[in-house]
Amino acid sequence: MDVEEAKTLLNKSRDKIDVLNEQIIDLIIERTSLAHDIAISKKALNKDLLDTAREDIIHDKIDNLLASRDVDKEKIIEIFEILVEMSKQEQKKYLD
Ligand SMILES: C=C(O[C@@H]1C=C(C(=O)O)C=C[C@H]1O)C(=O)O
């Protein structure tokens, strides 16, 4: 690969990352915004904010999805743990 090809490939890759970053942000916002409906449903059902059985199911589903994918599984799990915490934090706004 010559210098110009390398520069082009680097810039195109960075452009793709920029698009993916925006899509990831929008998906995180969409997932977190479900906290409102989940919180008001739990309130009506007199359920606790924390549902460890549901979190175990999510963890198992993610493990199964990761089993066939070549990715740093621990890092993906860390990311989903953050997303779950974001959801719980958002739910607290409607449950307290
Ligand atoms: C979203 C919920 O609330 C909490 C957050 C979860 C999540 O972000 O996936 C899962 C279980 C709960 O501890 C839920 O009960 O489904």
Side-chain angles (χ1 to χ4, degrees), residues 28-45:
I28 291 171
I29 290 169
E30 183 178 358
R31 187 188 197 280
T32 306
S33 67
L34 289 168
H36 171 266
D37 288 353
I38 286 169
I40 63 174
S41 303
K42 286 180 176 177
K43 205 163 192 175
L45 296 168

Side-chain angles (χ1 to χ4, degrees), residues 31 34-35 38-39 42 47-56 58 80-81 83-88 91:
R31 187 188 197 280
L34 289 168
I38 286 169
K42 286 180 176 177
K47 290 173 81 58
D48 292 333
L49 183 154
L50 176 63
D51 186 330
T52 53
R54 169 62 180 162
E55 293 192 13
D56 289 345
I58 289 169
F80 274 92
E81 286 170 350
L83 294 176
V84 168
E85 282 311 308
M86 286 176 72
S87 175
K88 290 188 280 190
Q91 289 179 56

Side-chain angles (χ1 to χ4, degrees), residues 5-89:
E5 287 172 330
K7 285 180 180 179
T8 300
L9 183 59
L10 178 60
N11 289 331
K12 282 188 175 181
S13 300
R14 285 175 171 172
D15 288 346
K16 289 178 182 178
I17 284 179
D18 290 344
V19 170
L20 290 169
N21 284 349
E22 185 172 355
Q23 290 172 348
I24 290 167
I25 288 169
D26 288 339
L27 287 171
I28 291 171
I29 290 169
E30 183 178 358
R31 187 188 197 280
T32 306
S33 67
L34 289 168
H36 171 266
D37 288 353
I38 286 169
I40 63 174
S41 303
K42 286 180 176 177
K43 205 163 192 175
L45 296 168
N46 199 28
K47 290 173 81 58
D48 292 333
L49 183 154
L50 176 63
D51 186 330
T52 53
R54 169 62 180 162
E55 293 192 13
D56 289 345
I57 289 169
I58 289 169
H59 200 276
D60 291 346
K61 285 176 181 281
I62 290 168
D63 280 347
N64 290 334
L65 288 168
L66 293 174
S68 61
R69 288 168 170 85
D70 183 20
V71 68
D72 185 331
K73 296 172 176 40
E74 289 311 310
K75 287 286 186 282
I76 296 290
I77 289 167
E78 283 178 36
I79 290 167
F80 274 92
E81 286 170 350
I82 291 169
L83 294 176
V84 168
E85 282 311 308
M86 286 176 72
S87 175
K88 290 188 280 190
Q89 278 303 109

